[in-house]
Amino acid sequence: MEKLSIRIKVADREYGIKTLPDEEIFLREAGKLIREQIQKYRDLGVKDTQDILAMIALDCLVARLKGDEQTRRLQKMVFDKMTQLDQTITPTLSA
């Protein structure tokens, strides 16, 4: 698959990125979300772009860690339920 050349604006700079066509929408959405977060922090009175980007990076990683933990809990819940069902069904199948 051929890569596309796109430009994404982050803070005060534009970046040229080569991406697969099916990833372009995610890059553009990420750029939009970053711009929105920058505006949120500017509205809160944070002026320094580096400080704003650092806060956005922290926000993103905290959200990622929370999502990873939620995924682990859901996987464990599914595994536990499958184990319970297996323990219920196996004796019936053996009989």
Side-chain angles (χ1 to χ4, degrees):
M1 194 178 294
E2 190 172 325
K3 290 190 173 186
L4 301 173
S5 291
I6 64 171
R7 299 196 63 72
I8 301 289
K9 186 171 183 177
V10 176
D12 303 326
R13 297 183 184 176
E14 273 199 21
Y15 296 91
I17 300 172
K18 288 194 177 276
T19 183
L20 295 173
D22 58 344
E23 292 180 5
E24 177 188 9
I25 192 164
F26 297 109
L27 285 166
R28 293 197 184 281
E29 183 67 19
K32 177 184 171 198
L33 291 171
I34 290 170
R35 286 188 299 277
E36 289 172 1
Q37 290 298 307
I38 288 170
Q39 189 58 52
K40 178 185 89 170
Y41 279 106
R42 286 191 173 143
D43 290 346
L44 291 172
V46 181
K47 302 290 183 212
D48 185 70
T49 301
Q50 186 171 348
D51 289 342
I52 292 171
L53 292 174
M55 293 305 297
I56 291 170
L58 283 171
D59 290 345
C60 289
L61 287 175
V62 166
R64 166 74 186 270
L65 291 170
K66 284 180 178 179
D68 288 352
E69 178 60 27
Q70 185 177 8
T71 298
R72 277 191 294 278
R73 276 189 266 132
L74 182 59
Q75 287 173 337
K76 183 182 180 329
M77 194 169 60
V78 169
F79 178 78
D80 290 346
K81 186 55 95 174
M82 293 297 291
T83 301
Q84 180 185 17
L85 287 170
D86 184 53
Q87 289 171 350
T88 304
I89 293 172
T90 300
T92 305
L93 295 175
S94 299

